[in-house]
Amino acid sequence: MSNSEQKRVQSLNLPPDKVMHKLVSLAKRRGFIFPSSEIYEGLSSCFDYGPLGSELKRNIKDLWWNSMTRRHHNIVGIDASIMMNPRVWEASGHVSSFNDPMIDDKTTKRRYRADHLIENHIEKLRREGKEEDLLRVQTAYEAAAGATDSNRALYEMIMAEGIKAQDTGSGDWTEVRQFNLMFQCNMGAVADTSSIVYLRPETAQGIFVNFHNVRESSRMKVPFGIAQIGKAFRNEIVKGNFIFRMVEFEQMEMQFFVKPGTQAEAFEAWREERFNWYTSSLGISREKLHWYRHDKLAHYADLAYDIKFEFPFGIEEIEGIHSRTDFDLKQHQEFSGKNMEYIDQLTNERYLPYVVETSAGCDRLFLALLADAYTEDAVDGEERVVLRLSPKVAPVKAAVLPLMKKGGMGEAAAKLHDELSTDFLVQYDDAGSIGKRYRRQDEIGTPFCITVDHQSLEEHTVTVRYRDSALQERIDLSRVKEFLASKLV
Ligand code: ATP
């Protein structure tokens, strides 16, 4: 690319606080995401994926599924039911302790997770390099989280450290209270307690309870993994930030079963693989991804890291990688009375496998992708909005555009569109000026515009316009399919 060609595109300054507003509006206008039941004023934290949104989401899920199952000989997938025997949730600890410690600000009337307030405070001290304060607060946090009355201890700690809400700077706190996040419903005709079932708050338990079914039917030997994509439900108290925190969302989880004592090695391998997936498969900018090591571990974990993404509203979790020990299988063994042990055929050893879990939220990844891709720039001085999505995730792979509808160009473009449609999601558009049509495609992230012009009819060639550089090249009509395929690997 020559310098003069590079200069065609100039990036424009985009303040981060404006991005979310622009994204929400683009998402609705172009059919990525709509508020749920909008004609009835919607429902808090519920959203519908529109035509382009459902394609993009499907691409994310396919990329995850392929990289986690098809590319690993020792990982298989399942699709478990959302409702399960309620004893599952007693065994997993969700009935008794899937609670969030909530705290309210009396002045701003905003509600926060008390643990998040403290963790954000710790991150701030770490960034500022205040080592002494950091050590004191971390130690106090561990003690507070493990205290018999942890609500009281968290509250006292927030007050003693003078922790304020980062978004408002206010800190007029109420006491800390616990909220259980599981949705309950009644199965059958009679609404008594015997018929209470829960909407699963995570997909993981569907995997644990199927440990032996999968192992036996697929003849898996430890180490092996089970992967699943599915809906999960949480009655989240703190809402907001569009699809970042929803009450109904999709998880992409994989539980990897290993021999006790080998979990640290497996954990490191998965940590590396999962982090790389974001850049290599989804094309997310490396510099916007961060690691966060948990200081306070969940009751089941012996090591936990989050992959976080720099959203316009802050650095937040998109995936958790947890070393879950044998907690879940042990609990299910105890509550179900069924032996969950694995017998090593070679050595005759019996043990409860340890589990390394990778748990990503599809909707959060969707938002991260949009936020990472959203750009405003100017092509030859004309401003445009571009979603710089990688071709692999972009919902529409190419647009076929006749320069003019008449003179045979419309028919030739329609024919090319039909041929490409067998392999790719492509759009045909002949409405408006060619410049306008390019802009429409830029805005939804279509990586290539293929134009059929006068020369095309004479020489059997087309022009391919690249979304990001706005540069064009002419290729043979017979090579278009091959060209697109080469860009999607
Ligand atoms: P958070 O601390 O943000 O509530 P979490 O630690 O409770 O998240 P996990 O239980 O580890 O989350 O779930 C794994 C993944 O599922 C998260 O990394 C996130 O991507 C996704 N997820 C969890 N809760 C939600 C939600 N309410 N809406 C959308 N995605 C979610």
Side-chain angles (χ1 to χ4, degrees):
M1 211 191 294
S2 72
N3 281 345
S4 64
E5 282 169 333
Q6 273 174 359
K7 277 202 204 111
R8 287 195 63 195
V9 180
Q10 282 184 324
S11 51
L12 300 173
N13 182 30
L14 186 63
D17 58 326
K18 300 272 183 297
V19 175
M20 279 312 289
H21 181 69
K22 289 180 182 240
L23 270 186
V24 174
S25 127
L26 172 73
K28 164 124 196 272
R29 188 160 36 84
R30 299 308 311 271
F32 283 93
I33 298 168
F34 308 124
S36 156
S37 37
E38 195 185 9
I39 58 168
Y40 292 99
E41 313 301 327
L43 181 65
S44 169
S45 292
C46 293
F47 294 90
D48 297 338
Y49 286 85
L52 291 179
S54 43
E55 289 290 344
L56 175 53
K57 199 173 182 205
R58 186 179 291 261
N59 291 342
I60 298 173
K61 289 193 278 186
D62 284 351
L63 285 165
W64 185 89
W65 189 260
N66 287 341
S67 73
M68 297 303 276
T69 65
R70 312 255 156 92
R71 301 227 181 109
H72 288 276
H73 70 278
N74 58 350
I75 303 183
V76 286
I78 64 164
D79 184 4
S81 77
I82 286 171
M83 290 193 240
M84 303 169 82
N85 188 304
R87 298 263 295 148
V88 169
W89 305 110
E90 286 169 31
S92 68
H94 284 82
V95 172
S96 60
S97 57
F98 193 48
N99 301 317
D100 277 346
M102 308 304 303
I103 191 165
D104 290 278
D105 185 308
K106 290 179 271 185
T107 306
T108 62
K109 305 274 180 272
R110 288 184 181 224
R111 182 165 284 174
Y112 301 87
R113 291 239 320 243
D115 52 343
H116 282 182
L117 282 181
I118 299 173
E119 281 162 19
N120 288 340
H121 184 62
I122 289 176
E123 271 309 298
K124 190 164 158 262
L125 294 176
R126 192 172 278 142
R127 274 199 308 276
E128 291 167 356
K130 296 187 174 157
E131 294 300 328
E132 250 177 59
D133 292 341
L134 181 64
L135 198 67
R136 189 193 64 251
V137 176
Q138 276 176 324
T139 318
Y141 184 34
E142 266 170 46
T148 334
D149 186 354
S150 69
N151 287 348
R152 184 77 213 161
L154 289 173
Y155 170 75
E156 279 170 5
M157 185 180 165
I158 289 172
M159 299 308 279
E161 294 293 333
I163 297 175
K164 307 260 186 284
Q166 284 192 349
D167 55 345
T168 63
S170 170
D172 186 14
W173 303 118
T174 61
E175 293 274 337
V176 174
R177 283 169 296 164
Q178 294 287 338
F179 286 88
N180 192 291
L181 299 178
M182 277 205 295
F183 280 104
Q184 281 185 18
C185 45
N186 291 91
M187 198 169 205
V190 192
D192 64 6
T193 48
S194 63
S195 59
I196 282 183
V197 287
Y198 300 99
L199 298 184
R200 67 179 176 200
E202 63 176 27
T203 56
Q205 298 306 322
I207 289 180
F208 292 125
V209 297
N210 275 303
F211 171 68
H212 280 314
N213 284 338
V214 174
R215 184 189 56 73
E216 274 164 24
S217 59
S218 304
R219 301 172 54 234
M220 305 304 280
K221 292 188 175 54
V222 167
F224 75 93
I226 307 179
Q228 173 166 224
I229 299 178
K231 289 255 172 157
F233 303 81
R234 294 182 189 178
N235 194 2
E236 301 275 10
I237 310 296
V238 177
K239 303 200 166 73
N241 280 334
F242 198 31
I243 56 168
F244 177 79
R245 192 173 296 286
M246 304 158 92
V247 291
E248 174 183 340
F249 56 99
E250 246 175 315
Q251 287 189 315
M252 307 189 292
E253 293 200 300
M254 192 278 301
Q255 270 68 37
F256 198 69
F257 299 91
V258 301
K259 188 173 175 186
T262 64
Q263 69 272 20
E265 201 183 315
F267 190 88
E268 273 318 303
W270 279 111
R271 218 158 77 80
E272 190 182 334
E273 176 160 344
R274 290 305 306 145
F275 196 86
N276 291 341
W277 182 76
Y278 285 93
T279 48
S280 62
S281 286
L282 293 189
I284 287 188
S285 313
R286 168 69 189 81
E287 62 277 11
K288 289 201 186 139
L289 295 167
H290 302 270
W291 279 116
Y292 170 78
R293 187 192 161 121
H294 281 252
D295 296 312
K296 181 193 128 211
L297 292 168
H299 57 285
Y300 51 74
D302 68 359
L303 187 59
Y305 275 83
D306 291 340
I307 298 175
K308 294 196 172 199
F309 175 78
E310 241 173 275
F311 287 97
F313 46 84
I315 300 177
E316 300 284 353
E317 170 181 343
I318 48 177
E319 170 160 353
I321 299 163
H322 310 128
S323 177
R324 283 181 86 119
T325 68
D326 59 359
F327 174 83
D328 302 271
L329 290 180
K330 200 188 252 165
Q331 288 292 105
H332 288 305
Q333 177 163 283
E334 190 185 322
F335 278 68
S336 69
K338 306 282 185 320
N339 190 338
M340 300 303 280
E341 283 176 323
Y342 174 77
I343 304 172
D344 187 320
Q345 306 280 336
L346 292 176
T347 61
N348 264 337
E349 274 177 288
R350 286 172 160 267
Y351 55 82
L352 280 174
Y354 269 41
V355 171
V356 173
E357 158 183 272
T358 70
S359 175
C362 183
D363 313 86
R364 282 196 191 170
L365 295 201
F366 189 110
L367 184 58
L369 272 172
L370 285 192
D372 191 38
Y374 187 92
T375 320
E376 292 181 1
D377 61 22
V379 179
D380 296 333
E382 198 194 323
E383 291 185 14
R384 65 170 182 169
V385 170
V386 204
L387 280 189
R388 292 177 185 260
L389 293 169
S390 99
K392 282 194 262 192
V393 285
V396 178
K397 305 302 180 198
V400 184
L401 316 170
L403 187 62
M404 283 185 287
K405 210 174 162 189
K406 51 187 193 215
M409 285 175 260
E411 286 85 5
K415 187 162 171 275
L416 176 61
H417 169 267
D418 288 350
E419 279 165 19
L420 296 177
S421 294
T422 54
D423 293 357
F424 313 102
L425 181 61
V426 285
Q427 283 190 351
Y428 171 89
D429 187 4
D430 61 17
S433 73
I434 193 77
K436 266 211 179 103
R437 284 181 270 162
Y438 286 155
R439 300 290 170 271
R440 276 203 284 272
Q441 296 298 332
D442 290 341
E443 204 180 43
I444 60 169
T446 307
F448 310 105
C449 283
I450 297 162
T451 305
V452 175
D453 56 13
H454 296 286
Q455 213 174 325
S456 305
L457 304 180
E458 287 154 21
E459 296 173 2
H460 301 290
T461 57
V462 288
T463 61
V464 176
R465 171 190 177 268
Y466 292 79
R467 176 197 64 202
D468 298 347
S469 62
L471 295 179
Q472 303 198 16
E473 67 172 321
R474 191 166 277 280
I475 64 170
D476 273 356
L477 190 57
S478 60
R479 277 199 49 231
V480 177
K481 222 177 215 186
E482 180 191 317
F483 168 85
L484 284 182
S486 74
K487 300 291 179 190
L488 300 176
V489 283

